[in-house]
Amino acid sequence: MRLSKYYAPTLKEDPADAEVVSHKLMLRAGMIRKLTSGIYTFLPLGLRSLNKAARIVREEMDRAGALEILMPGVQPADLWQETGRWEFYGKELLRFEDRHGRAYCLGPTHEEVVTDLVRNEVRSYRQLPLNLYQVQFKFRDEIRPRFGLMRGREFLMKDAYSFDKDEEGAMASYKGMYDAYCRIFTRLGLNFRAVEADTGSIGGNYSHEFMVLADTGEDTIAACPACEYGANLEKAEAVLPDAKKPPVCQAFEQVATPGQHTVEEVAAFLSVEPRAVVKTLLFDVDGKPVAALVRGDRELNDVKLKNALNAQNVALATPEQVQAWTKAPVGFAGPVGLSVETILADRELSQGTDWVVGANAADAHLKHVDLDRDAKITGYADLRSVTAGDPCPKCGVGLTLTRGIEVGHVFKLGYKYSESMKASFLDEQGKDRLLYMGCYGIGVSRVVAACIEQNHDANGIAFPPALAPYEVAVLCLDPKGEAMGKAEEIYGWLQDQGVDALLDDRDERPGVKFKDVDLMGMPMQIVIGGKGLARGVVEVKDRRTGEKSELPVEGFQEAFTKWREAVQAGWNAR
Ligand code: ATP
Ligand code: MG
């Protein structure tokens, strides 16, 4: 392609509404443009990167034996009613009616549609296992679309669905997808980690997320520096040390704590450590009040709470609810005498006594509380988020916490969909049995953004060769002079070799050209100018390292091929 005839509207300044670097750079490099909140048009450069990501995904899915199909984006409500998700999916599901008043949604995911397809077609165990996938735009009416392609409302996803005759078969399918994902993210040049994950609203009982490590990631992951263990914060187990509960403390007493609301304030006021205080948090769980207790220096994880209660919806209680349930102003809730049916405590609290808790009265706390003696604890569960240094559940070494971007997700679904939608097959004995399912997603458009989060510098994007819109940029410094002939020759040769190349033949100052290609991130640059040619050389630059070298015009093809291999090797060795 020739830049003189291209459509890549670059911007000099960072756009005001872009917060993360990938969003800024994709707008500045002329890769995408926003249509409306969370919805983007892909311009030629952006579409090329997107297609390259999709191509690698397809190649590895095909290699793993999955078959590509394309399902509709518009889905009828009745399928979602069959699985119950019409009610449970929430506002991310964009619903609408057609002219006949029939209800539909825009597909945020395709379990219902694919299960419907398969239940009508698959009859016998001979047709199994089956893995169907598609690369398709999804729509989710995200509450806070942001960060450009990272959290869009319309985004490109690869979604695959496996159907097996039993759990053993499903584990093999899962493993096949897990391995394919490792190959995909490696080929995409991403620094990633697979972590154990919560199963969320798709449901099911076993899952891993693939996380690209980046400071701007929205998720926190706990990773073990010594072994393979990794889990997102919702899933990472807080290991309970082998400790015996000390003898029960003296009887509790109420103390005045005027104006002391936070754990820190109360602890300082009573001259105890925050870890001697119990935090009582109130939640509305599926319409019922629930109290959850954690140590004062810990963070409660609401997904862990939701899982411990097997609940659908967990929302922090409103100030009005807190006042109604505790009969006290906000900030003084406590478990003693609390008339809330479910009081769940973090299991760490089972190993202590002599706590400070809220008194359910204005400006008052209780000292010397033993939870088992003084409160009606319904149960102890793992409710807190792990912190850096907590022991790894696998090997005991201190965990580290890092930020990650979720680019892929694999789930073992089990019978969740085949049961509610009655998708079955006849086994070897002629018996009717439910299909065992799995589902596997990759956020293809998010992958492009995540790649930029990992690969950029002050001058712009530094794309790995696998995802670059073009692998090589040929810069002709004086397009009206003799350099143009050489540039055309080299550009033509690159195309003959099957190398993606972009020729900057614009009538622009060299400075503008250098800036633009650095911004767009092509990994290899060939700079052709009259001065160099007079000395019999052209300059090449490795975008990632910034390293420049000169290649002879005489024997250029051989020298370039060697240099290109070295640049690629540099990427692979990172
Ligand atoms: P998240 O936790 O980020 O909301 P999710 O768990 O809802 O994602 P899945 O249902 O597992 O997402 O979807 C599969 C993949 O689709 C995710 O791993 C992610 O890469 C991508 N994805 C999900 N939501 C978005 C979005 N709003 N914009 C871009 N990509 C997305
Ligand atoms: Mg997910």
Side-chain angles (χ1 to χ4, degrees):
M1 259 329 143
R2 288 157 198 279
L3 214 42
S4 62
K5 301 194 171 59
Y6 213 68
Y7 185 56
T10 55
L11 306 172
K12 281 209 183 64
E13 304 292 330
D14 278 343
D17 62 343
E19 293 165 71
V20 295
V21 86
S22 56
H23 188 197
K24 286 180 194 163
L25 289 175
M26 291 190 86
L27 288 168
R28 282 191 50 203
M31 296 181 77
I32 55 169
R33 283 295 179 264
K34 177 163 131 180
L35 175 64
T36 181
S37 172
I39 302 181
Y40 291 84
T41 296
F42 287 83
L43 302 188
L45 286 177
L47 184 60
R48 285 187 68 91
S49 282
L50 187 72
N51 284 340
K52 285 197 171 178
R55 182 169 162 191
I56 290 175
V57 170
R58 283 192 168 99
E59 283 173 6
E60 293 299 337
M61 291 305 289
D62 294 348
R63 180 140 87 113
L67 300 164
E68 185 169 1
I69 60 174
L70 184 56
M71 291 180 273
V74 173
Q75 308 184 4
D78 47 6
L79 289 182
W80 286 72
Q81 280 150 357
E82 271 188 66
T83 61
R85 285 209 294 183
W86 188 251
E87 194 184 332
F88 283 122
Y89 205 90
K91 291 199 171 149
E92 280 178 25
L93 190 65
L94 184 65
R95 301 150 213 250
F96 55 94
E97 285 184 358
D98 70 3
R99 63 170 81 198
H100 306 294
R102 284 187 289 251
Y104 294 86
C105 63
L106 278 187
T109 176
H110 279 68
E111 284 80 9
E112 279 81 358
V113 176
V114 78
T115 308
D116 178 60
L117 176 80
V118 167
R119 73 174 163 186
N120 294 327
E121 310 296 334
V122 169
R123 295 271 169 268
S124 153
Y125 70 92
R126 286 192 200 88
Q127 293 163 281
L128 303 173
L130 180 64
N131 188 330
L132 301 174
Y133 82 95
Q134 64 175 345
V135 179
Q136 190 226 30
F137 276 95
K138 298 283 183 270
F139 192 92
R140 294 183 183 180
D141 202 356
E142 298 275 357
I143 183 165
R144 273 210 296 162
R146 61 202 163 132
F147 305 157
L149 298 188
M150 204 76 90
R151 184 164 297 283
R153 293 199 294 166
E154 190 177 270
F155 58 94
L156 192 64
M157 197 202 284
K158 184 285 300 173
D159 44 328
Y161 306 88
S162 65
F163 299 86
D164 280 275
K165 51 184 188 169
D166 52 25
E167 184 169 9
E168 199 187 336
M171 274 321 280
S173 296
Y174 188 92
K175 174 88 175 32
M177 284 295 104
Y178 185 101
D179 293 345
Y181 274 37
C182 291
R183 284 196 300 271
I184 288 168
F185 296 122
T186 303
R187 282 185 63 188
L188 289 168
L190 295 167
N191 179 12
F192 71 97
R193 185 137 186 171
V195 302
E196 289 178 15
D198 182 66
T199 47
S201 74
I202 291 194
N205 50 21
Y206 190 63
S207 109
H208 285 88
E209 282 172 356
F210 287 78
M211 294 288 192
V212 161
L213 307 180
D215 293 338
T216 44
E218 292 182 279
D219 297 296
T220 302
I221 53 184
C224 178
C227 76
E228 282 293 282
Y229 181 80
N232 70 24
L233 214 53
E234 299 148 14
K235 184 80 182 181
E237 185 195 341
V239 176
L240 194 64
D242 249 339
K244 258 198 124 155
K245 183 175 164 173
V248 173
C249 61
Q250 67 193 83
F252 72 82
E253 59 182 279
Q254 184 162 333
V255 287
T257 50
Q260 313 298 315
H261 293 268
T262 66
V263 167
E264 286 69 29
E265 285 166 359
V266 172
F269 189 78
L270 297 175
S271 306
V272 297
E273 292 295 321
R275 55 180 294 154
V277 178
V278 168
K279 253 195 293 201
T280 303
L281 297 151
L282 292 160
F283 290 90
D284 180 330
V285 179
D286 296 336
K288 293 207 182 91
V290 166
L293 315 182
V294 284
R295 222 169 71 181
D297 58 335
R298 304 298 198 190
E299 289 301 324
L300 181 107
N301 189 295
D302 50 3
V303 176
K304 284 188 173 181
L305 178 67
K306 182 173 139 197
N307 291 340
L309 293 169
N310 222 336
Q312 290 286 348
N313 277 306
V314 167
L316 205 58
T318 62
E320 293 72 37
Q321 285 175 316
V322 173
Q323 283 168 26
W325 299 340
T326 65
K327 318 227 165 22
V330 174
F332 299 96
V336 180
L338 183 64
S339 55
V340 162
E341 209 169 290
T342 309
I343 306 179
L344 205 57
D346 182 61
R347 57 187 185 179
E348 189 175 48
L349 298 178
S350 68
Q351 295 184 333
T353 184
D354 206 359
W355 303 105
V356 170
V357 304
N360 300 318
D363 292 333
H365 280 78
L366 304 179
K367 282 203 305 195
H368 310 308
V369 167
D370 183 273
L371 292 175
D372 298 316
R373 180 189 64 192
D374 305 326
K376 289 203 181 88
I377 304 296
T378 345
Y380 290 95
D382 178 13
L383 297 182
R384 74 172 177 94
S385 296
V386 297
T387 52
D390 275 343
C392 167
K394 285 249 164 77
C395 75
V397 168
L399 294 171
T400 53
L401 296 189
T402 42
R403 305 292 285 173
I405 300 166
E406 181 194 322
V407 287
H409 203 162
V410 291
F411 283 94
K412 215 174 83 185
L413 288 172
Y415 300 117
K416 185 176 156 87
Y417 295 92
S418 52
E419 194 169 11
S420 55
M421 296 186 70
K422 301 188 183 56
S424 61
F425 68 99
L426 293 177
D427 70 8
E428 287 89 332
Q429 281 77 44
K431 226 181 97 199
D432 201 39
R433 286 175 48 190
L434 291 176
L435 289 158
Y436 202 108
M437 290 174 59
C439 76
Y440 317 91
I442 290 182
V444 182
S445 44
R446 186 182 280 183
V447 155
V448 177
C451 171
I452 295 171
E453 290 294 327
Q454 271 186 351
N455 301 293
H456 66 269
D457 60 21
N459 298 324
I461 306 168
F463 268 121
L467 270 191
Y470 295 90
E471 190 179 327
V472 183
V474 181
L475 280 70
C476 178
L477 295 190
D478 82 283
K480 292 203 175 113
E482 63 160 319
M484 198 57 210
K486 197 73 206 166
E488 288 283 6
E489 184 193 316
I490 290 177
Y491 171 65
W493 173 75
L494 287 168
Q495 287 188 312
D496 292 344
Q497 301 300 301
V499 178
D500 286 334
L502 183 70
L503 173 63
D504 191 349
D505 57 344
R506 293 174 303 168
D507 190 12
E508 287 281 3
R509 283 179 294 113
V512 172
K513 298 190 178 203
F514 292 138
K515 266 213 158 73
D516 279 349
V517 284
D518 271 1
L519 177 62
M520 293 172 189
M522 270 60 91
M524 299 165 211
Q525 300 174 9
I526 305 175
V527 183
I528 301 167
K531 278 189 204 144
L533 288 181
R535 289 193 296 116
V537 296
V538 297
E539 191 176 83
V540 289
K541 179 172 141 183
D542 179 339
R543 174 68 183 87
R544 182 177 68 88
T545 61
E547 222 170 285
K548 293 175 185 167
S549 31
E550 289 182 341
L551 301 183
V553 171
E554 208 68 47
F556 171 80
Q557 300 181 356
E558 240 171 284
F560 176 79
T561 305
K562 258 208 190 122
W563 178 77
R564 179 178 173 224
E565 280 165 13
V567 173
Q568 283 166 339
W571 271 102
N572 295 337
R574 271 176 321 141

